[in-house]
Amino acid sequence: DGANSLQTERVSDIETSLFALPVDKPVQFLMSSQDVIHSFYIPGFRIKRDVFPNRYTKVWAHPTVATHEWDPVSKRAVLMEGSEPFYLLCAEYCGDQHSQMGNIVAVMPQADYEAWLAEQKNTDAIPLVELGSILYQAKGCASCHGITEGALRTGPTWYGIWGQTHQFTNAPPTVVDENYIRESVLNPGAKILQGYTNAMPQYQGQLTDREIIALAKYIKSLTPEFAEEAQQDSVEEMEARQAEEGEGGTEGEGDM
Amino acid sequence: MTAVDTQHGDKRELLPYEAYVPGHHWRNAEDEAEGAKLGMWLFLSTEVLLFAGFFCAYAAFRLMYPENWHSASAYYLNWKIGAANTVVLLLSSFTIVLAIRAAQQGRRGMIMINLIITQICALFFLVVKIGWEYIPKIEKGKLPGAWFSYSPHGGEHAAVEAGQTIMPAAAAVAENGVAFVPGAHDHIFLSVYWISTATHGFHVFVGVLVIFWAMWKTAKFHYGPNHYTSLENIGLYWHLVDVIWIFLFPLLYLV
Amino acid sequence: MSHHDVPYLAPKDNIWQTIMSWVVTYDHKKIGVMYLCAVLLMFFLGGVFALALRMELWEPHKTVMVDEAGEVVAIAGTPEGTAALEAGATTEERGRFFPNIELITGERNDDGSFKTEPITGNNIYNRSFTLHGTIMVFLFIIPSVPAALGNIFLPIMLGAKDVAFPRLNLASWYVYIFGGIFALWSLLQGGVETGWTFYTPYSSTTNWGDVTAMVLAAFILGFSSIFTGMNFIVTVHKLRVPGMGWFDMPLFVWAIYATAIIQVLATPVLGITLLMIVFERLFQIGIFDPALGGDPVLYQHFFWFYSHPAVYIMILPGFGIVSELLSVHCRKKIFGYKAIAFSSIAIAAISFLVWAHHMFTAASPAANVVFSALTFLVAIPTAIKVFNWVSTMYKASIVWNTPMLYSAFFLFCFTIGGLTGPPLATLSTDIHLHDTYFVVAHFHYVMMGGTVLAFIGGMHHWWPKFTGKMYNEFWASVAGWIVFVGFNVTFFIQFFMGTQGMPRRYATYLEHFELMHQISTFGSWLLGIGFMIHLLVFVQSLVSGRKAGANPWGGLTLEWYAESPPLEHNFEHEPVLTHGPYDYDTVVPPHVDPEEYPLPDQDEVQRVHGTH
Ligand code: HEA
Ligand code: HEA
Ligand code: CUA
Ligand SMILES: [Cu+2]
């Protein structure tokens, strides 16, 4: 269930501009933070639980009143006539954006919820580099790969690797390019970077083609000399697809 | 000091401790001494609570990372050094009591001798602590938290990346012939070690300063059979410093 | 006349000597007066921040505190964000790179989603409430009553010439100033925006302003507080005038004594906690930093282990003041002397066992149940006090002057504040109320409505004694009423905001709270006006006030035996205790004409009160 496990940060993330839940179904939120302490607060549900960077906390809810419904035309969840939305707020001071870490909680009938969910999984409207950066967090790459210079984690940093020639323990040297990244993601064991073990999980079947390209472009953008080029690639790809779909294909920022 | 010692008949100027007058707001010297001692006990209780903070942190992390705690203690700390320091501190606590006893008996020379022995012990403690523990640790990068280095010779630091402590791939290192795999939270152990022993060391240092002051007062005849409150208070302080070490030693070195 | 027999305020031969007679004084009264000036200044500074932040909350979105400096330069995870991180932005800055592009304003689109506005930081607002809270707590309220009024009056009430350790007392004052300078330095560096609770890892990683200096300031101020506490404990034990047993002490002294115990036993824990934050920031020791395997919840335990007892450091002296004021201005023996005295000690003891009620949404449920239950216990000794005070007022000949007025305000406001404590201590309700304006209202009702109102009442009560001047009763009571009304307008509405889910520390908020926030802001203006008038009344009194007699209110405690203002050594001769502190039905107060002070008819007294 998409909404069941989320990181609070994602709540306000562009990934979902609404925080949607199915009505009449208990949900449990498993939460963890990436920076400081936040607190997951839905006043309308009378629930609140702090979210920590070093552990998981849980809280559950059972929404009984639907507030939103899915509008298939505009591809949005819209407020039902005469209902008041629930709000999701952050209740632990977390810095500059503390008061703006909120969202609307859209409780929808099951069918509407599923329609909404399907639309969320459609990432077509997100440019490649941006999508890559989302996937970097969402698919857990961040737990092993840093994006700053010399970041030491279980896996190597992605900073400045594009175009470099890498040495491997079990394969001849290879230049870091799109193909190499595709291979690293789908079959990490094929080329094991010197100084590392084969610790990376396989992502075969878990990423779409476009997502792999997105990751590659994102990694490209992390090498300063290629950053601009990566952005350009990203824009070009977008334009190309828009041209394919014809006029008025993708909506704006609305409900990505 | 023009007063005259009438008790012994012979005319001489009174010594400072004989001529002492209590502060104007005290009814008598006895009240003042008791007040000072009560104040000292209150101060000591604040000290205990201060260190209690460290002990709580220690307990919390030991519960969180029990095995790592054990291995880190065994690997990074040498119990023999700790034991030697424990012995000298105990000895110094004893000698400071002898100094107070000597003050009660009015034997100024003995006060001085005992304070000097106490002082030697204290300095021994500090020299061992710094020379044999702190400096080698700093050289090898066994510093607290983010400054901690997993390599046996220092250098790379544990990187501070969100949610992760990172060890270099080749983590297994051997030192003193003991094969050892560092734990993921050695740097937290060392944080607790550093902040608690450094704060304790600072207290020892302050102790050294006040004992010097006591030696000066001894030299200037300020302590006598009925007037040795500040010496007694320094003694109390010194015992506290000792007691805290007695807790720190097994907790850090012998787990 | 020896030189100690002059009033302590009397100037010396020349201006230089007069100045020196203050800055290196060991006289507890002068130190107290210096403390009083400093804490009042801090109260006004904190109050100005309060008015400013209330102003910002007039509208749901940002109005007066829009700052360019706080603009988020990049979005985490994007190339610009990465570039910013490369360009010297350290991990400490990560907190600033929140990955949301759309910032929510109060207005909504027709589909119910929020309208967005360009990103500007909330830093100015965040700094305002942090500085407001920090100044009010560490620089104002904790030293306020004990170090100012306590310093001036505790020794006199005991018939002593000074506190036990006068030099330590002066040291405590200088340590306070030193800590204050650190706080000011931090303020000039751009302030702090962590909240007064300095929660890690935010406080250990943010790089706005100078958190290190502010934390050090609070650390240093802790020493000042410990010194004062030690001094008072020893003074009470050792310097009571002969014949004064423990139960002959005024209740103000009991309250300060209980406060001092907490100061001595709780402050070191705060000290070590704050020191660890400093280490955390300077050396990244990682004890509280989850990124290094540390534990941020441990920090919260440490912090509240001090800061919960600290709230009783704040309120107990207020209790003490009210016990004095009620008895004097009701001209009646305080009801239940021993119960009030012991309940102070009981509160001090229980206060160490309840700290985790601030962490119900963070800590483990099992521990929560225990802490919830323990917290309820505090209500018992507090209730004892409240009921005793009310009983004291029952059938009393009350004189409605400013101190009495404030005592009544105190009873009203503190009881509301106190009664909202148990709902917060109740696990299930606190889950909803935690970190909302309900909590904000609760603690203002107890700190402002409790301590501050008692403090101002005490200021008026003892003003003639320590300045030797009378103040203008009419204007003081007018100001008192304005403050009282303003206070309730400001904070009562916040209970409702809280129950409706308005979180605290919010620079922007949902628009349906707008009206309530505006009412609250309006109230804060009344408060500002009220305090302005109080200030003017005091200034007028100092400049041209009528000379005060030794005992304008007919009090029976020992300070009323001293002259107004007291002599340098308080009393010409050590006073002789002939009656208890509240024996109004049998004793003619000192310096009061017995003709004008007929004792009450003993039969009538017996009939009303029974035999004590
Ligand atoms: C002067 C300071 C002061 C005082 C005296 C109190 C008094 C009390 N406080 Fe308060 N409190 C604060 C200052 C204070 N508090 C502050 C500053 C915070 C917020 C900190 C922050 O997060 O920034 C806070 C927060 C706070 C919380 C955490 C809320 C949260 O963040 O979720 C809780 C929870 O238990 C609590 C409880 C209590 C209780 C039970 C009392 C009791 O002592 C009250 C007892 C008094 C009475 C009950 C009234 C008198 C009694 C009667 C009239 C008899 C009848 C009553 C009954 C039978 C119940 N307080
Ligand atoms: C003793 C403690 C104390 C006192 C007295 C006050 C007094 C006031 N407080 Fe305070 N407040 C706290 C302690 C206190 N506060 C704490 C600890 C916090 C939590 C901070 C945090 O979250 O970290 C807080 C938070 C807090 C908030 C919540 C902010 C938020 O969460 O977003 C609000 C909002 O309304 C507020 C308002 C006020 C107001 C209007 C007053 C008024 O009563 C102030 C009245 C005083 C004056 C108006 C001064 C008079 C000055 C003038 C008239 C100007 C003249 C000037 C000169 C002559 C120089 N306070
Ligand atoms: Cu996130 Cu406050
Ligand atoms: Cu509390």
Side-chain angles (χ1 to χ4, degrees):
Chain A
D1 210 355
N4 277 15
S5 125
L6 80 160
Q7 301 182 311
T8 339
E9 282 225 319
R10 306 226 69 75
V11 168
S12 57
D13 198 58
I14 40 166
E15 204 183 15
T16 56
S17 72
L18 271 187
F19 185 79
L21 296 174
V23 73
D24 282 335
K25 198 172 165 193
V27 278
Q28 190 175 54
F29 308 99
L30 182 65
M31 305 172 297
S32 163
S33 154
Q34 304 215 324
D35 38 48
V36 297
I37 305 175
H38 306 272
S39 192
F40 179 90
Y41 181 30
I42 305 180
F45 293 2
R46 305 285 186 276
I47 55 169
K48 184 183 287 134
R49 188 76 181 133
D50 290 2
V51 183
F52 295 94
N54 62 336
R55 63 185 66 173
Y56 287 94
T57 46
K58 283 185 279 195
V59 69
W60 65 272
H62 188 158
T64 52
V65 187
T67 56
H68 286 65
E69 59 196 356
W70 181 247
D71 176 2
V73 184
S74 68
K75 300 210 164 154
R76 286 157 181 261
V78 293
L79 197 62
M80 286 177 179
E81 200 75 22
S83 45
E84 275 284 315
F86 293 114
Y87 297 97
L88 167 62
L89 302 165
C90 176
E92 183 61 68
Y93 178 66
C94 54
D96 203 29
Q97 304 298 315
H98 168 55
S99 67
Q100 288 150 335
M101 240 185 127
N103 208 332
I104 297 226
V105 182
V107 183
M108 290 187 268
Q110 185 73 30
D112 295 36
Y113 174 72
E114 270 157 24
W116 174 84
L117 205 61
E119 184 64 26
Q120 299 315 301
K121 292 201 172 134
N122 181 358
T123 53
D124 287 353
I126 308 176
L128 288 175
V129 171
E130 202 175 307
L131 178 61
S133 81
I134 294 170
L135 293 168
Y136 167 68
Q137 303 281 350
K139 295 290 173 184
C141 316
S143 61
C144 296
H145 295 282
I147 51 169
T148 49
E149 193 167 358
L152 277 171
R153 297 192 190 177
T154 314
T157 178
W158 286 355
Y159 177 89
I161 60 170
W162 190 270
Q164 302 284 358
T165 307
H166 277 185
Q167 310 290 330
F168 304 95
T169 49
N170 57 350
T174 313
V175 177
V176 177
D177 59 10
E178 218 151 291
N179 286 325
Y180 165 71
I181 287 172
R182 178 177 297 269
E183 186 188 38
S184 298
V185 174
L186 298 179
N187 185 11
K191 296 199 172 77
I192 297 173
L193 202 60
Q194 249 172 30
Y196 291 87
T197 53
N198 189 13
M200 177 164 157
Q202 284 195 9
Y203 283 85
Q204 192 98 47
Q206 297 181 35
L207 294 164
T208 65
D209 225 35
R210 184 165 183 266
E211 284 173 339
I212 297 177
I213 299 172
L215 279 165
K217 293 294 177 207
Y218 175 57
I219 293 175
K220 188 175 181 181
S221 77
L222 295 173
T223 302
E225 304 95 83
F226 294 101
E228 212 143 288
E229 204 181 307
Q231 290 295 348
Q232 237 158 18
D233 295 350
S234 192
V235 173
E236 277 166 20
E237 189 256 10
M238 207 65 182
E239 286 167 359
R241 276 189 315 116
Q242 265 167 8
E244 249 170 58
E245 287 175 26
E247 297 299 301
T250 25
E251 277 258 334
E253 300 282 277
D255 256 305
M256 293 180 303
Chain B
M1 273 191 276
T2 44
V4 169
D5 185 344
T6 45
Q7 234 174 32
H8 297 86
D10 49 347
K11 284 192 178 201
R12 66 172 173 86
E13 283 194 353
L14 285 181
L15 293 170
Y17 73 81
E18 293 165 322
Y20 179 79
V21 275
H24 73 88
H25 56 296
W26 291 98
R27 270 182 291 278
N28 52 51
E30 205 173 297
D31 270 7
E32 187 182 39
E34 279 173 18
K37 252 183 276 176
L38 179 58
M40 193 65 197
W41 279 107
L42 289 169
F43 174 70
L44 295 188
S45 61
T46 69
E47 291 281 44
V48 168
L49 281 151
L50 186 117
F51 279 94
F54 292 135
F55 289 121
C56 288
Y58 174 92
F61 288 112
R62 188 168 171 186
L63 284 175
M64 261 192 245
Y65 314 123
E67 265 138 42
N68 199 165
W69 221 239
H70 181 77
S71 62
S73 161
Y75 183 62
Y76 296 110
L77 302 183
N78 184 343
W79 69 269
K80 286 173 199 141
I81 297 179
N85 265 346
T86 311
V87 172
V88 293
L89 271 197
L90 281 174
L91 179 64
S92 71
S93 246
F94 179 63
T95 52
I96 207 158
V97 173
L98 291 183
I100 296 166
R101 181 89 194 111
Q104 286 168 341
Q105 295 166 338
R107 294 157 66 193
R108 198 167 64 95
M110 281 307 282
I111 307 182
M112 207 54 158
I113 291 171
N114 278 303
L115 287 182
I116 290 171
I117 300 176
T118 310
Q119 206 64 304
I120 292 171
C121 291
L123 290 171
F124 178 89
F125 179 93
L126 287 176
V127 168
V128 169
K129 188 98 227 153
I130 293 170
W132 272 265
E133 294 210 315
Y134 286 173
I135 292 178
K137 282 201 171 50
I138 293 170
E139 278 169 356
K140 289 183 191 164
K142 303 305 172 216
L143 292 164
W147 302 93
F148 179 76
S149 159
Y150 274 98
S151 123
H153 309 294
E156 303 158 70
H157 294 153
V160 207
E161 286 286 343
Q164 294 284 305
T165 20
I166 302 90
M167 284 182 274
V173 283
E175 197 175 281
N176 311 331
V178 194
F180 174 73
V181 183
H185 298 102
D186 286 1
H187 54 282
I188 293 284
F189 176 83
L190 281 164
S191 290
V192 174
Y193 164 82
W194 275 97
I195 55 175
S196 53
T197 59
T199 312
H200 176 263
F202 176 74
H203 279 78
V204 175
F205 176 69
V206 171
V208 168
L209 295 186
V210 291
I211 294 173
F212 270 127
W213 178 68
M215 287 162 75
W216 178 82
K217 286 191 67 152
T218 312
K220 295 278 179 197
F221 294 95
H222 280 282
Y223 293 135
N226 293 315
H227 188 73
Y228 49 89
T229 313
S230 67
L231 186 61
E232 215 176 357
N233 278 345
I234 292 171
L236 283 175
Y237 171 80
W238 194 248
H239 293 326
L240 178 93
V241 171
D242 193 10
V243 167
I244 287 169
W245 178 255
I246 298 216
F247 279 94
L248 285 177
F249 169 61
L251 288 177
L252 290 170
Y253 291 75
L254 303 178
V255 278
Chain C
M1 200 189 210
S2 98
H3 72 285
H4 285 311
D5 291 347
V6 296
Y8 80 106
L9 289 174
K12 298 280 172 277
D13 299 340
N14 59 47
I15 182 84
W16 172 243
Q17 278 182 5
T18 308
I19 292 174
M20 286 315 280
S21 81
W22 283 86
V23 293
V24 296
T25 182
Y26 292 157
D27 183 345
H28 65 100
K29 297 179 290 300
K30 286 185 175 167
I31 296 174
V33 169
M34 292 196 291
Y35 258 120
L36 189 65
C37 297
V39 298
L40 282 179
L41 193 70
M42 287 304 146
F43 175 65
F44 278 95
L45 190 59
V48 170
F49 279 115
L51 292 180
L53 72 88
R54 282 282 8 136
M55 203 55 226
E56 168 58 48
L57 293 173
W58 184 258
E59 284 182 28
H61 43 264
K62 275 190 300 300
T63 46
V64 286
M65 293 183 184
V66 181
D67 63 325
E68 292 308 316
E71 200 158 320
V72 174
V73 287
I75 311 300
T78 61
E80 308 90 81
T82 316
L85 284 171
E86 278 161 22
T90 56
T91 40
E92 284 144 34
E93 272 180 343
R94 183 168 299 129
R96 281 168 60 193
F97 299 116
F98 285 90
N100 51 338
I101 303 167
E102 301 179 322
L103 294 186
I104 302 154
T105 69
E107 288 136 49
R108 271 180 271 135
N109 297 319
D110 30 27
D111 67 345
S113 68
F114 291 98
K115 276 189 184 152
T116 58
E117 66 174 18
I119 298 172
T120 48
N122 297 323
N123 251 283
I124 298 188
Y125 179 81
N126 295 346
R127 273 179 272 170
S128 299
F129 74 69
T130 304
L131 292 169
H132 165 67
T134 319
I135 289 172
M136 284 297 195
V137 169
F138 294 114
L139 283 154
F140 166 62
I141 197 169
I142 289 181
S144 65
V145 181
L149 293 178
N151 235 328
I152 304 176
F153 290 108
L154 179 126
I156 309 188
M157 284 176 154
L158 293 173
K161 288 187 194 150
D162 207 327
V163 291
F165 312 119
R167 269 178 296 186
L168 191 67
N169 204 14
L170 184 66
S172 141
W173 154 254
Y174 278 109
V175 170
Y176 173 83
I177 291 299
F178 190 57
I181 289 172
F182 265 83
L184 204 69
W185 169 253
S186 167
L187 214 122
L188 295 177
Q189 294 288 303
V192 207
E193 37 86 70
T194 58
W196 81 281
T197 48
F198 303 115
Y199 270 21
T200 53
Y202 187 70
S203 64
S204 54
T205 51
T206 179
N207 67 346
W208 275 103
D210 197 342
V211 179
T212 310
M214 189 53 105
V215 170
L216 267 179
F219 173 72
I220 294 166
L221 291 168
F223 279 97
S224 155
S225 179
I226 291 176
F227 289 171
T228 308
M230 280 168 48
N231 225 332
F232 287 171
I233 294 180
V234 178
T235 308
V236 169
H237 274 268
K238 294 284 168 210
L239 286 177
R240 299 193 307 272
V241 79
M244 185 186 276
W246 281 87
F247 298 112
D248 303 320
M249 295 195 311
L251 288 167
F252 180 67
V253 175
W254 270 102
I256 297 282
Y257 179 71
T259 311
I261 292 176
I262 313 181
Q263 281 178 303
V264 169
L265 293 185
T267 318
V269 179
L270 176 76
I272 199 62
T273 312
L274 295 176
L275 204 59
M276 280 199 239
I277 293 206
V278 172
F279 288 155
E280 195 84 46
R281 290 186 66 83
L282 296 181
F283 308 122
Q284 290 176 287
I285 56 170
I287 300 263
F288 299 138
D289 185 354
L292 283 166
D295 187 0
V297 180
L298 186 66
Y299 170 79
Q300 298 182 13
H301 280 294
F302 278 2
F303 183 82
W304 291 115
F305 184 83
Y306 165 77
S307 289
H308 182 80
V311 309
Y312 299 108
I313 296 181
M314 303 170 196
I315 196 69
L316 284 175
F319 290 168
I321 291 179
V322 169
S323 302
E324 294 303 319
L325 266 53
L326 278 176
S327 182
V328 173
H329 300 284
C330 294
R331 304 203 182 295
K332 195 165 152 226
K333 194 183 183 91
I334 190 94
F335 192 87
Y337 172 92
K338 280 196 183 174
I340 295 184
F342 281 126
S343 60
S344 291
I345 305 291
I347 291 173
I350 300 171
S351 74
F352 285 97
L353 307 174
V354 304
W355 74 90
H357 66 212
H358 295 270
M359 303 163 56
F360 284 159
T361 60
S364 82
N368 285 350
V369 173
V370 177
F371 281 108
S372 178
L374 284 170
T375 303
F376 293 134
L377 286 183
V378 189
I380 299 170
T382 318
I384 290 175
K385 283 180 188 289
V386 171
F387 295 141
N388 280 320
W389 290 323
V390 175
S391 312
T392 303
M393 288 172 72
Y394 175 70
K395 290 218 171 165
S397 33
I398 299 174
V399 185
W400 284 105
N401 49 21
T402 314
M404 184 60 213
L405 205 57
Y406 265 100
S407 309
F409 293 161
F410 168 94
L411 274 181
F412 182 82
C413 298
F414 172 76
T415 306
I416 293 179
L419 285 175
T420 52
L424 290 173
T426 310
L427 204 44
S428 49
T429 39
D430 184 60
I431 295 296
H432 177 55
L433 297 173
H434 171 67
D435 269 350
T436 63
Y437 265 74
F438 191 91
V439 178
V440 174
H442 158 70
F443 67 70
H444 282 95
Y445 262 89
V446 279
M447 296 207 287
M448 170 94 193
T451 312
V452 175
L453 293 190
F455 178 61
I456 296 171
M459 284 268 295
H460 286 90
H461 179 73
W462 283 304
W463 182 267
K465 178 55 64 186
F466 70 86
T467 63
K469 300 280 179 66
M470 294 306 284
Y471 60 86
N472 184 315
E473 195 65 65
F474 173 76
W475 282 106
S477 343
V478 167
W481 276 105
I482 297 177
V483 167
F484 177 68
V485 172
F487 171 76
N488 284 290
V489 171
T490 310
F491 293 108
F492 200 74
I493 196 86
Q494 295 185 354
F495 286 120
F496 297 101
M497 283 199 256
T499 47
Q500 291 175 21
M502 167 74 214
R504 62 191 278 207
R505 298 173 172 171
Y506 263 30
T508 56
Y509 54 88
L510 298 170
E511 65 183 356
H512 56 252
F513 292 113
E514 182 167 10
L515 179 65
M516 293 200 244
H517 270 300
Q518 287 181 350
I519 292 172
S520 181
T521 302
F522 175 73
S524 73
W525 298 339
L526 290 181
L527 276 173
I529 295 171
F531 284 119
M532 269 319 234
I533 301 178
H534 270 312
L535 194 67
L536 293 177
V537 168
F538 285 146
V539 171
Q540 185 271 337
S541 160
L542 286 180
V543 174
S544 58
R546 200 153 46 77
K547 180 153 177 22
N551 194 358
W553 319 121
L556 282 178
T557 39
L558 286 181
E559 77 269 29
W560 305 111
Y561 283 78
E563 278 165 42
S564 300
L567 308 178
E568 288 205 337
H569 281 173
N570 298 344
F571 303 99
E572 238 164 300
H573 311 286
E574 190 165 56
V576 182
L577 212 61
T578 54
H579 56 79
Y582 307 110
D583 291 343
Y584 289 97
D585 25 8
T586 49
V587 183
V588 176
H591 306 289
V592 167
D593 187 354
E595 298 283 303
E596 287 170 15
Y597 195 95
L599 290 178
D601 177 2
Q602 283 306 307
D603 296 339
E604 179 67 12
V605 171
Q606 290 250 317
R607 200 181 58 72
V608 176
H609 301 294
T611 38
H612 299 298

